Amino acid sequence: MNIGTQLNLRATVAEIPLDEIDVSDPALFQNDTIGAYFERLRREEPVHFRKDGKYGSFWSITRFNDIVEVDKNHAAFSSDAKYGGITIWDRGMYRQNFLNMDPPRHDDYRKVVSPIVAPENLAKLEGFIRSRAIEILESLPLNQTFDWVEHVSRNLTTQMLATLFDFPYEERHLLPYWSDIAIVDVNAGTSVTSEQERERQLQPCYDYFARLWNERVSKGTGNDLVSMLAHSEAARTMTQDELRGTIILLIIGGNDTTRNSITGGLLALNQNPGEYQKLRENPGLIPNMVSEIIRWQTPLSHMRRTAVMDTVIGGKQIRAGEKVVMWYLSGNRDNGVIQDADQFRIDRKNARHHLSFGFGIHRCVGNRLAELQLRILWEEIMRRYSFIEVMGQPVRTYSNFVHGFESLPVRIHK
Amino acid sequence: MIKIKYVEANGTEHRVQAEAGASVMEVAVANNIPGIDADCGGLCACGTCHVYIDPPWFETMPSPKHDELEMLNFAAGAEQTSRLSCQIRLGEGHDGIVVRMPAGQH
């Protein structure tokens, strides 16, 4: 977006009556104008109520510190599926998993899977990720335009996920396929037009994992996620729906998010050639850049809670029963906390201080694995290619939840 | 001034001095000591400044509050002497304190 377009957009947004602003409209994310709406809310109405929006009535929390306050206060702001779970849309057929549970059940279930991303396991995964990243990068065509999302972002994260699940390697394409079905907005124009249809299309996924589960229950304990779940104390008390919900959560969590940060980072470097040049001159900036990319992209735009008691946030009275949306994408642009938040700077100080992983007990369990994947990928990119050029406009996802890309045309210059 | 010894998981030691009133996390970050990430910047909201406090100092500290215990509950490698270093304010009684870091911060 050039400066003129940005100013026009700001003027347009400034004329909309505050109570008519609906930041839940997925079209605003798809056409990448959402930032102007959040900018106005942060300035004029940082805790904003929208009555009868596209996804019902809801509070928007748009400033960094207010978001942390809500995220930490799970006693007042529930994640439980029975109130609507963790996304702005109320899914009638929501499956329970540890993300849309409150303590104490949340704690037990989360602890089953968290060892897979503990420090010792990450150290083991590093060599594997590097060899896969090298393999992918070496296979890319030179001097011709191709889709970065499909060939790199999706490819690498799928291989990673297949490894974590010990999923049959030749069928690994099923994982992002199911992930997309599980998360797509029913109005996005795909074949998933209702929650019933979503469940129907996910049935093969449930069947597939039930088969893996049965195989691994009878085997000894393994280090993959399915075996860890199958042999866990917690799984004995899980219902079938909870098991399915947990599998789906792990597929989505390990898939869309890192995929879109891989794409978003390359786009940001192209939009900021000075930063790309800094990277060429000093690849030692990569670990810091990874945090900045994750802030900049904010691969999940929001997390939702439901107030279960009356609480005041940012001076506004929120009542029990109301829907509360923490817009991480907005908080990550809050100049009150992050200096020059609308600038992408790979050498930013305190780059780790961002909202993309959430805070509190639901903080992203795979955060260090995501960082590891991005770091290794960029180390290997910089060893090989001086410039990966974005050749056209990205196609962005129609979603107010997954903040990402369908495609990004690029060309490699050696 | 209070003397602090930070010990990385690989055994590397860092000796620094700090004024009373700073947190164990703030002193580590200000001195660029690796092994304490402190993603949330001291809000007790992420668990990435997890450390082990050597006895006898551990015994002298006020008990952790509820939100600190919640984050420690999910910290990889948490033990009896685990604390979040952002929640420990240094006082004169802490002179000579030894702080050990875990293998990773999650």
Side-chain angles (χ1 to χ4, degrees):
Chain A
M1 217 181 296
N2 66 37
I3 301 229
T5 321
Q6 266 180 27
L7 289 175
N8 284 339
L9 173 62
R10 239 185 115 159
T12 310
V13 172
E15 283 170 18
I16 306 172
L18 266 179
D19 58 0
E20 283 177 27
I21 288 182
D22 184 359
V23 288
S24 73
D25 184 354
L28 303 179
F29 294 80
Q30 189 176 39
N31 66 22
D32 198 30
T33 58
I34 187 67
Y37 293 83
F38 283 139
E39 195 271 330
R40 180 159 175 225
L41 289 190
R42 280 196 305 276
R43 200 159 19 95
E44 295 182 28
E45 186 90 344
V47 179
H48 170 258
F49 190 71
R50 176 61 160 94
K51 194 171 167 19
D52 301 328
K54 274 190 188 304
Y55 293 79
S57 302
F58 63 96
W59 288 96
S60 283
I61 314 295
T62 64
R63 283 188 181 166
F64 193 107
N65 288 331
D66 291 339
I67 290 172
V68 177
E69 197 179 332
V70 171
D71 229 350
K72 274 188 71 173
N73 192 354
H74 60 81
F77 299 102
S78 170
S79 295
D80 201 296
K82 72 182 175 210
Y83 303 117
I86 51 91
T87 61
I88 191 170
W89 70 94
D90 304 293
R91 288 167 67 167
M93 311 181 72
Y94 217 38
R95 299 197 181 284
Q96 282 247 273
N97 56 55
F98 60 88
L99 188 55
N100 58 36
M101 278 177 195
D102 294 330
R105 260 197 322 162
H106 156 270
D107 302 4
D108 297 339
Y109 288 14
R110 178 180 170 123
K111 281 180 183 169
V112 174
V113 299
S114 58
I116 201 159
V117 286
E120 316 80 67
N121 251 9
L122 285 191
K124 279 187 230 156
L125 284 171
E126 175 155 357
F128 168 83
I129 299 172
R130 193 173 300 279
S131 65
R132 288 299 151 85
I134 291 172
E135 210 174 289
I136 289 170
L137 291 171
E138 297 275 336
S139 74
L140 296 173
L142 297 178
N143 304 314
Q144 76 181 63
T145 303
F146 65 92
D147 179 17
W148 182 256
V149 173
E150 183 190 339
H151 288 91
V152 180
S153 312
R154 207 173 159 100
N155 196 356
L156 183 63
T157 47
T158 300
Q159 295 195 29
M160 185 71 252
L161 196 58
T163 304
L164 294 183
F165 279 120
D166 194 13
F167 194 88
Y169 195 68
E170 52 300 340
E171 296 194 286
R172 65 188 186 278
H173 64 277
L174 288 168
L175 292 167
Y177 170 73
W178 289 328
S179 172
D180 289 346
I181 293 172
I183 203 75
V184 71
D185 191 291
V186 293
N187 299 311
T190 71
S191 63
V192 180
T193 50
S194 68
E195 295 304 328
Q196 287 77 5
E197 180 58 22
R198 194 194 306 277
E199 282 305 301
R200 200 186 65 75
Q201 294 195 25
L202 282 177
Q203 192 57 47
C205 170
Y206 301 143
D207 295 341
Y208 201 112
F209 273 95
R211 204 162 69 238
L212 290 183
W213 182 281
N214 291 334
E215 282 169 22
R216 288 172 202 180
V217 162
S218 46
K219 278 193 206 158
T221 48
N223 284 325
D224 66 282
L225 280 168
V226 179
S227 297
M228 283 165 77
L229 272 170
H231 291 275
S232 71
E233 199 60 42
R236 277 174 220 191
T237 59
M238 278 193 202
T239 63
Q240 187 189 48
D241 265 4
E242 287 171 351
L243 286 171
R244 290 175 169 182
T246 303
I247 294 287
I248 292 289
L249 167 64
L250 294 170
I251 295 176
I252 296 170
N255 217 314
D256 291 32
T257 49
T258 309
R259 181 204 302 174
N260 288 319
S261 291
I262 290 173
T263 309
L266 181 61
L267 181 61
L269 285 168
N270 270 261
Q271 289 166 336
N272 298 273
E275 299 303 301
Y276 209 155
Q277 188 54 32
K278 275 188 207 165
L279 174 63
R280 282 183 203 105
E281 285 162 11
N282 183 8
L285 288 171
I286 288 173
N288 201 71
M289 175 180 82
V290 164
S291 291
E292 177 68 348
I293 286 174
I294 294 168
R295 175 189 78 92
W296 186 251
Q297 181 56 31
T298 318
L300 294 179
S301 300
H302 80 264
M303 281 284 164
R304 169 259 179 93
R305 301 288 183 260
T306 307
V308 290
M309 57 179 89
D310 293 359
T311 312
V312 174
I313 295 288
K316 298 281 178 141
Q317 178 71 59
I318 295 175
R319 306 250 172 234
E322 289 177 333
K323 192 189 305 199
V324 179
V325 180
M326 301 176 284
W327 292 106
Y328 294 151
L329 185 60
S330 173
N332 274 340
R333 296 289 186 278
D334 183 348
N335 277 316
V337 173
I338 300 168
Q339 203 179 6
D340 301 321
D342 56 351
Q343 304 286 315
F344 174 76
R345 289 191 185 149
I346 67 170
D347 51 358
R348 176 180 291 283
K349 286 214 162 39
N350 297 324
R352 309 193 64 84
H353 193 47
H354 62 70
L355 290 165
S356 301
F357 296 131
F359 282 120
I361 61 166
H362 291 289
R363 185 173 163 80
C364 175
V365 72
N367 56 355
R368 296 307 187 239
L369 177 59
E371 291 171 349
L372 184 65
Q373 289 187 72
L374 283 165
R375 172 170 69 74
I376 291 172
L377 179 66
W378 276 103
E379 284 169 0
E380 296 304 328
I381 288 174
M382 296 316 290
R383 277 191 192 123
R384 285 170 181 73
Y385 307 127
S386 64
F387 185 29
I388 303 176
E389 184 180 8
V390 170
M391 301 302 289
Q393 291 300 312
V395 175
R396 292 172 188 270
T397 304
Y398 180 89
S399 172
N400 56 29
F401 185 64
V402 172
H403 188 224
F405 306 89
E406 303 300 313
S407 63
L408 181 71
V410 304
R411 181 180 288 224
I412 293 178
H413 305 274
K414 192 124 186 174
Chain B
M1 292 295 266
I2 300 151
K3 289 190 284 298
I4 312 170
K5 181 164 85 175
Y6 292 90
V7 186
E8 290 182 60
N10 65 13
T12 309
E13 296 185 359
H14 305 263
R15 287 163 202 273
V16 295
Q17 297 202 352
E19 302 279 356
S23 77
V24 172
M25 178 277 280
E26 286 163 353
V27 175
V29 170
N31 288 281
N32 292 316
I33 294 170
I36 293 182
D37 292 345
D39 291 8
C40 79
L43 301 169
C44 197
C46 71
T48 66
C49 66
H50 172 211
V51 296
Y52 310 109
I53 304 288
D54 269 15
W57 293 278
F58 182 79
E59 316 296 337
T60 68
M61 298 188 171
S63 301
K65 294 202 182 88
H66 180 67
D67 53 354
E68 182 182 348
L69 288 173
E70 278 188 341
M71 296 319 299
L72 282 172
N73 187 23
F74 300 112
E79 289 173 14
Q80 279 300 319
T81 58
S82 287
R83 292 296 305 260
L84 293 187
S85 56
C86 71
Q87 299 302 302
I88 301 171
R89 292 276 147 208
L90 289 163
E92 294 302 335
H94 294 134
D95 192 34
I97 187 171
V98 179
V99 176
R100 298 178 192 278
M101 275 84 92
Q105 298 286 358
H106 283 248

